[in-house]
Amino acid sequence: MYGFSKFYSKFYKYPLPLLLLSLWLVAVFLLSDRPAHSQHPVISTNKEKYQSTLLAKRIMPSTLTENVRKTVLENGLTVLTKEVHTAPVVTVQVWYKVGSRNEEPGVNGIAHQLEHMMFKGTKNRPIQFGRLFSALGSDSNAFTSYDQTAYYGTVERNKLKALLVLEADRMRNSQIEPEQLASEKRVVISELQGYENSPEYRLNRAVMQAVFPNHAYGLPVGGTKADVEKFEVEQVEKYYRNFYSPDNAVLVIVGDFQTANTLETIKEVFGKLPRQEAGVISPSSPSLNTQHSTRAKRPATANSTPIVLQEPGAGRLLQVVYPLPDANQPDVPALDVMDYILTEGRNSRLYQVLVESGLASEVTASVTSLRESGWYEVLVTAGAKQDLKKIDSMLSSAIANVAEKGVTSEEVERAKTQLAADVILSNRDITSQAMRLGTDETTVGDYRYTDRYLAAVSLVKPTDVVAVINKYLTKEARTVGFFEPTQKRITEVAAKPDSAQTTENFSPGAPVLPSEVMKYLPPVDLVTDAIPQVLPDEFKLTNGLRLLLLPDRSTPTVTLSGYIQAGTEFDPENKAGLAAFVADNLLNGTKSKDVSTIAKVLGERGASLDFQTYREGVHIEGDSLADDLPILLEILADVVKNSSFPSKELELHRQQTLTDLQQELDEPSEVARRVFVQSIYPKKHPLHTFPTEESLQQIQRQDVINFKTKHYRPDTTVLALVGDFDLDKVRSLIKNKFGDWEVSGKAPTLKYPPVAMPEKIVSVNPVLPDKAQAVTYMGYTGINRYDPRFHAALVLNQILGGDTLSSRLGAEVRDRQGLSYGIYSSFQAGKNVGTFLIEMQTSPEDSSKAIASTRQMLQQIHQQGVTALEVETAKRTLISNYNVSLANPEELTDRILMNEVYGLDKVELHSFTDKIQKVTLAQVNQAARELLHPDQIVVVTAGPSVLAEKSIR
């Protein structure tokens, strides 16, 4: 994974963003779990004047750094430990103080390449480390960013020492073998090609190179294909020797452990590792960057003429970047407050000027504060037929207007509250807490930075905001980029199926035996911890609304998850997108509150509320500080009961959705998903229909009102809350707010017609011109959540493709052959029969071989089955991952919710692991025979025209 501009991934909206993309655990857009069409920004907001200081002084020290202990070993390793005893899990993270900042032209991307190689094995353990982490049940990952490279895993606490042993081993003993480097270079190039598919990425790369022409911050973090292709073993080894040592690393441990004992273990495991050898290049040495100064400097004169990219794409984009100071400079807090005032939420200044006017479909922005410099970037997606020069002019005028007329105290206090609330709400789980400590320590050299930052934020005044605008957001300082698409507008996806047998021959390599994994796995305490058997209290209102409540006092926050049976399965064929249209507009006004008032009420309390539409229902997501739960519930009750759908807001949303659709139809992953689903499910089936420009134009206000009246009902609604609240008070509050929600008649139901398996291989290749990476979906209809083979299927899937490194598919297609950046399989089982699918990203020239390899692996498991040791390993992994997930309040709340939605007993929360444990080898191999069909499969590959020319069969 690697990090770059925050238009791509808003990991944090406050300083020191990690700016990441996942390397090892690429998110698969699950067909049953992906939000429908539109995904507009959540309305997340701010708090009252006196509360910012309260948040900074009272809450943050107790959750981030109050119990943190810093220890420096004799070999220079910095250790940060923090005990959190809310669940028997622990996270281990190793941060190296080196990233793309330490690169130069010609070796751009070498930090990222080395990150990939760090999973390839060591002298002591010549085995893919992903398999070892999976065997431990570790939720592991890694990333490269501008200033650091980090490796992290979260496990049950009895596996703490095992993780430490593995991280210490690869700190100094990793092996860079020529064959493995060649294979992994192909994987990295495939990854880079995926980013090249994005017009936003290409525009950002061009603009950043202009902003930082003489510093590595101007280079893409992941590197370039030209440089990656030339990497030699000696170069990567030298980089590894120079920068991977204890005195250039920070070890962070957060979770359920005893500090004294753990420090002794750390000294035993890491203490024997040597410091950096004398004379090697240090992370800040000028000799590393012969053409790049080590301290980023602001350009003497910015580019007065916009950078214009005229390339294939789906929509016009405007990006503006202003250089800023590094993270330690005193202006950073005021800059972040400024950013929230300009772009956060419906009441923000730039949203009002650009989006409400129809000039833009979306505006996002972020302050990036790094070790040697920073920048402020604004990204605007133009509305239909809107001119970028006009948008740029309006953007400049809006910023100048703020500088001239100032900001209000109310705006400043809301922004300050939002910043503080974001810090609290994004640091409720131990992995996020450790991330914050590691980021602060490696970027600014002080793990307490966020505490100091929040204290400084609480002191920001309106005059400070105006001062930083005048100082940094000047026309002379900015660099502007335009993206002008050259291809015609896309209105629909067209691809004709072609049935054929795969003709390419392929023999899978010898699989890594599970016994080999066990051979290299560090010892683990076999005494597993009993997970506390705490279950939610369940209530049902007289109108049928179901409620599940689980008090948890570990943080002063509340997580809300909800479900309403009003998903895309109910979309009329000629008005596809209606279900999402309704959900996306719930917050746009009620009988008593307009859209601005709703945004302000939530904003003044740092709360967030969002509705996402999936095929089987609408998912409600909300969170707030504990004291503000009544406000969150009041707004939720008001919008589900009394939403008014103002015509102006509906039309604005339609234009935004049409722009979103254009962009989606330019993405290989979205095109592949659509064609894949429509190739499996025939017309008239509830899953066949997708929104089109024509169907979205057909939706009228009365359609929205009628759908809302028909499908938004208390007797098909479930709410689950986990957090710091009094059970009786919240039950009474919900009864008061939702008890008068009336219900009449029976809830609408829908019966899915049976779908036959394809008689043979169906291959479809929709062409997207000039894309660099291809995306393939393979699969067919699967099972539902109630299928007696469900748990056996989960174990089978874990072995087949549940992890991109440790699975059969990952080990063969990705790791051994280097054909795919990521390959995964999944059984998507809901209330209705779902889909079995395999998803992979490949270079276009590798797609055919990757598909053939995948089919052969399916054939092998279908015919020969799996081994007993594979089954036991997969079961341990699934159980450990599940237990770790319950320590995250958002995942816990979702588990509670969906168990109720599926009609499962509430004890399923803890009996799930018992059911996995009872799965037998015979059951898994029976599932393989019954559920894997390599010769009756739909294969859809979306990408450049070379695919059609090669005729993938």
Side-chain angles (χ1 to χ4, degrees):
M1 132 198 354
Y2 74 83
F4 51 90
S5 298
K6 271 180 18 183
F7 73 78
Y8 223 96
S9 175
K10 285 193 176 181
F11 197 83
Y12 290 109
K13 178 85 177 176
Y14 52 96
L16 312 179
L18 294 179
L19 312 173
L20 319 177
L21 276 189
S22 173
L23 166 62
W24 307 117
L25 301 177
V26 180
V28 177
F29 288 111
L30 301 181
L31 304 185
S32 61
D33 294 326
R34 178 171 178 173
H37 196 59
S38 179
Q39 298 185 55
H40 292 301
V42 180
I43 299 178
S44 46
T45 44
N46 316 299
K47 209 167 181 59
E48 312 228 328
K49 189 168 185 177
Y50 68 90
Q51 289 180 312
S52 290
T53 304
L54 176 66
L55 291 169
K57 291 184 176 179
R58 178 177 67 85
I59 296 176
M60 285 315 303
S62 68
T63 57
L64 274 187
T65 64
E66 186 177 59
N67 300 319
V68 176
R69 177 173 173 179
K70 181 175 181 178
T71 306
V72 180
L73 303 190
E74 291 183 4
N75 61 7
L77 177 68
T78 297
V79 181
L80 301 177
T81 54
K82 179 184 178 183
E83 294 184 26
V84 178
H85 300 290
T86 54
V89 296
V90 62
T91 188
V92 174
Q93 303 182 3
V94 179
W95 294 66
Y96 295 95
K97 291 180 275 190
V98 61
S100 64
R101 174 180 59 85
N102 304 94
E103 298 172 351
E104 60 186 349
V107 293
N108 180 212
I110 197 167
H112 178 221
Q113 183 70 61
L114 176 57
E115 176 217 315
H116 278 242
M117 299 307 298
M118 288 288 285
F119 285 81
K120 290 294 189 178
T122 67
K123 299 171 186 175
N124 304 320
R125 295 177 174 84
I127 187 173
Q128 165 60 252
F129 265 45
R131 297 187 188 111
L132 299 177
F133 292 133
S134 179
L136 288 173
S138 174
D139 182 9
S140 294
N141 214 318
F143 69 85
T144 303
S145 191
Y146 295 98
D147 292 332
Q148 58 273 114
T149 306
Y151 305 83
Y152 56 98
T154 303
V155 294
E156 295 158 308
R157 66 182 177 190
N158 64 311
K159 299 166 184 172
L160 169 58
K161 184 174 181 179
L163 270 190
L164 293 174
V165 169
L166 292 177
E167 291 297 351
D169 189 16
R170 66 175 172 175
M171 180 178 281
R172 296 303 287 174
N173 299 317
S174 288
Q175 294 195 108
I176 315 295
E177 299 290 348
E179 184 178 346
Q180 291 181 334
L181 178 60
S183 171
E184 205 61 27
K185 282 162 61 175
R186 292 181 71 179
V187 171
V188 169
I189 289 170
S190 174
E191 177 183 355
L192 298 179
Q193 289 172 328
Y195 305 142
E196 290 287 339
N197 281 352
S198 166
E200 295 178 20
Y201 173 81
R202 303 200 301 270
L203 178 61
N204 178 261
R205 181 180 58 194
V207 171
M208 290 302 292
Q209 287 174 344
V211 175
F212 294 105
N214 299 310
H215 191 277
Y217 284 162
L219 300 174
V221 175
T224 62
K225 179 181 179 182
D227 281 2
V228 171
E229 287 177 331
K230 293 183 293 186
F231 289 157
E232 300 290 342
V233 169
E234 294 74 17
Q235 290 176 299
V236 182
E237 282 183 335
K238 182 180 179 181
Y239 198 90
Y240 174 60
R241 290 194 305 270
N242 286 349
F243 298 114
Y244 279 60
S245 62
D247 50 322
N248 195 43
V250 177
L251 171 63
V252 185
I253 304 177
V254 177
D256 192 16
F257 63 92
Q258 298 299 319
T259 301
N261 295 339
T262 300
L263 285 175
E264 289 302 314
T265 301
I266 292 169
K267 292 174 184 177
E268 171 195 340
V269 174
F270 284 89
K272 57 192 175 187
L273 300 180
R275 284 176 171 265
Q276 238 176 16
E277 297 176 12
V280 301
I281 302 172
S282 69
S284 298
S285 172
S287 63
L288 182 69
N289 294 318
T290 56
Q291 299 180 36
H292 285 64
S293 63
T294 58
R295 178 65 59 176
K297 297 178 181 178
R298 293 178 60 187
T301 57
N303 295 290
S304 56
T305 303
I307 298 165
V308 180
L309 294 188
Q310 292 183 320
E311 299 177 356
R316 294 181 177 86
L317 301 171
L318 163 69
Q319 186 168 41
V320 182
V321 175
Y322 302 85
L324 296 179
D326 64 78
N328 269 317
Q329 298 305 308
D331 286 335
V332 170
L335 285 163
D336 280 313
V337 173
M338 172 206 75
D339 174 39
Y340 271 69
I341 292 171
L342 290 179
T343 65
E344 184 69 12
R346 293 292 298 261
N347 291 329
S348 63
R349 296 295 189 95
L350 295 185
Y351 188 96
Q352 293 287 318
V353 170
L354 299 177
V355 181
E356 291 286 354
S357 66
L359 284 172
S361 170
E362 184 179 25
V363 57
T364 60
S366 59
V367 173
T368 298
S369 304
L370 301 177
R371 179 170 176 165
E372 295 186 353
S373 187
W375 57 88
Y376 183 57
E377 63 180 90
V378 181
L379 180 72
V380 182
T381 302
K385 301 179 182 179
Q386 296 297 331
D387 181 66
L388 290 178
K389 290 182 179 179
K390 181 179 180 181
I391 294 173
D392 184 34
S393 175
M394 293 296 291
L395 172 66
S396 297
S397 297
I399 292 173
N401 184 60
V402 176
E404 178 185 351
K405 298 183 179 179
V407 296
T408 66
S409 296
E410 182 183 16
E411 286 178 304
V412 171
E413 295 307 323
R414 277 206 306 266
K416 287 156 61 172
T417 300
Q418 183 64 63
L419 279 164
D422 278 356
V423 174
I424 299 164
L425 293 169
S426 64
N427 282 284
R428 288 176 289 178
D429 63 280
I430 61 172
T431 301
S432 298
Q433 291 179 41
M435 283 281 182
R436 176 55 28 203
L437 296 172
T439 304
D440 289 351
E441 183 68 23
T442 55
T443 305
V444 299
D446 182 6
Y447 70 88
R448 298 162 297 187
Y449 176 85
T450 298
D451 289 341
R452 294 191 288 109
Y453 164 78
L454 283 175
V457 165
S458 70
L459 301 176
V460 172
K461 301 179 179 63
T463 52
D464 299 325
V465 175
V466 174
V468 294
I469 292 177
N470 286 322
K471 185 175 181 180
Y472 299 106
L473 269 59
T474 64
K475 274 201 170 185
E476 297 73 28
R478 71 190 196 131
T479 301
V480 180
F482 291 172
F483 181 86
E484 295 277 7
T486 56
Q487 67 192 49
K488 295 180 180 179
R489 295 176 67 247
I490 305 169
T491 58
E492 62 181 348
V493 176
K496 295 182 179 180
D498 176 28
S499 299
Q501 291 290 327
T502 298
T503 56
E504 181 172 353
N505 293 320
F506 164 74
S507 297
V512 176
L513 298 175
S515 57
E516 284 291 290
V517 176
M518 295 300 111
K519 174 181 175 182
Y520 295 115
L521 200 66
V524 173
D525 182 2
L526 297 179
V527 180
T528 57
D529 296 293
I531 303 296
Q533 300 291 305
V534 180
L535 295 172
D537 283 276
E538 194 170 356
F539 307 99
K540 188 174 183 179
L541 304 187
T542 55
N543 58 12
L545 186 146
R546 288 166 285 166
L547 179 64
L548 299 108
L549 303 177
L550 182 61
D552 174 10
R553 310 286 185 180
S554 59
T555 65
T557 64
V558 176
T559 302
L560 180 149
S561 223
Y563 167 92
I564 301 175
Q565 189 175 308
T568 60
E569 62 187 4
F570 291 112
D571 272 349
E573 184 178 357
N574 65 333
K575 296 178 181 177
L578 177 57
F581 222 81
V582 174
D584 290 341
N585 281 279
L586 289 173
L587 289 163
N588 284 344
T590 66
K591 297 174 182 177
S592 61
K593 300 179 184 71
D594 63 17
V595 60
S596 296
T597 302
I598 292 173
K600 182 178 179 182
V601 169
L602 289 171
E604 289 173 345
R605 287 153 180 87
S608 67
L609 182 62
D610 189 31
F611 298 85
Q612 299 281 0
T613 311
Y614 298 84
R615 92 176 173 194
E616 289 188 344
V618 173
H619 194 180
I620 306 167
E621 299 172 351
D623 54 28
S624 72
L625 300 177
D627 291 343
D628 300 315
L629 178 59
I631 299 297
L632 182 65
L633 291 173
E634 179 182 330
I635 294 295
L636 174 60
D638 192 21
V639 299
V640 297
K641 292 189 298 182
N642 305 312
S643 48
S644 57
F645 304 110
S647 298
K648 176 187 174 184
E649 300 299 333
L650 285 177
E651 196 52 45
L652 178 62
H653 175 74
R654 188 196 313 276
Q655 297 308 313
Q656 292 172 328
T657 304
L658 288 169
T659 301
D660 289 348
L661 176 62
Q662 280 289 301
Q663 293 179 326
E664 287 180 9
L665 295 183
D666 186 51
E667 298 174 4
S669 59
E670 174 62 21
V671 172
R673 184 178 77 97
R674 284 182 171 230
V675 175
F676 174 72
V677 172
Q678 292 184 329
S679 298
I680 293 175
Y681 300 102
K683 289 183 178 180
K684 306 299 182 182
H685 191 283
L687 300 186
H688 182 86
T689 305
F690 282 86
T692 64
E693 182 176 329
E694 182 180 3
S695 72
L696 292 172
Q697 294 284 16
Q698 290 289 325
I699 297 172
Q700 303 300 314
R701 179 171 181 268
Q702 194 59 48
D703 298 322
V704 174
I705 293 172
N706 292 345
F707 188 97
K708 160 69 168 50
T709 303
K710 182 178 181 180
H711 295 286
Y712 281 68
R713 307 164 51 98
D715 55 345
T716 63
T717 299
V718 184
L719 297 179
L721 286 86
V722 174
D724 186 9
F725 55 77
D726 178 271
L727 192 68
D728 293 333
K729 289 182 179 179
V730 169
R731 180 186 177 187
S732 175
L733 179 64
I734 291 177
K735 183 178 180 180
N736 181 47
K737 296 298 180 183
F738 293 87
D740 61 351
W741 190 4
E742 297 180 354
V743 60
S744 60
K746 292 185 177 181
T749 58
L750 193 64
K751 186 175 181 179
Y752 284 27
V755 177
M757 291 285 295
E759 295 181 0
K760 50 189 175 181
I761 298 171
V762 178
S763 180
V764 193
N765 307 128
V767 174
L768 281 80
D770 300 299
K771 292 299 180 183
Q773 186 193 62
V775 175
T776 297
Y777 276 63
M778 304 172 65
Y780 37 77
T781 56
I783 59 176
N784 62 26
R785 181 61 179 83
Y786 316 108
D787 193 296
R789 299 167 295 183
F790 174 74
H791 296 92
L794 292 182
V795 176
L796 171 64
N797 183 73
Q798 182 65 28
I799 296 169
L800 172 65
D803 181 275
T804 199
L805 290 182
S806 64
S807 66
R808 289 270 196 105
L809 286 174
E812 178 62 34
V813 179
R814 187 205 183 282
D815 201 40
R816 190 178 78 85
Q817 298 189 68
L819 297 176
S820 174
Y821 167 54
I823 181 167
Y824 306 88
S825 64
S826 61
F827 286 94
Q828 298 165 359
K831 291 192 290 185
N832 296 285
V833 171
T835 309
F836 167 71
L837 76 90
I838 298 169
E839 189 264 357
M840 69 180 93
Q841 309 93 35
T842 61
S843 297
E845 61 271 18
D846 290 334
S847 296
S848 182
K849 187 175 182 180
I851 291 167
S853 300
T854 299
R855 284 195 54 245
Q856 287 288 345
M857 186 61 69
L858 289 173
Q859 188 75 42
Q860 185 182 81
I861 296 178
H862 172 77
Q863 293 178 344
Q864 302 174 18
V866 299
T867 67
L869 193 50
E870 281 182 306
V871 169
E872 291 307 310
T873 301
K875 284 158 58 174
R876 282 197 301 270
T877 299
L878 288 169
I879 290 169
S880 295
N881 286 342
Y882 182 83
N883 289 336
V884 168
S885 75
L886 295 186
N888 183 307
E890 292 181 353
E891 293 191 47
L892 172 61
T893 311
D894 280 342
R895 293 277 185 181
I896 292 171
L897 174 75
M898 295 313 296
N899 285 344
E900 177 65 25
V901 170
Y902 292 144
L904 306 175
D905 193 291
K906 65 180 181 180
V907 300
E908 175 73 15
L909 187 65
H910 300 294
S911 64
F912 172 82
T913 54
D914 295 331
K915 294 175 183 177
I916 292 293
Q917 186 58 53
K918 291 176 182 177
V919 171
T920 66
L921 172 64
Q923 289 172 330
V924 174
N925 283 333
Q926 180 181 352
R929 291 190 297 271
E930 296 175 355
L931 299 177
L932 300 184
H933 306 286
D935 296 324
Q936 295 175 281
I937 192 167
V938 172
V939 182
V940 176
T941 302
S945 56
V946 65
L947 294 170
E949 294 164 9
K950 295 188 75 168
S951 188
I952 298 174
R953 297 284 197 266

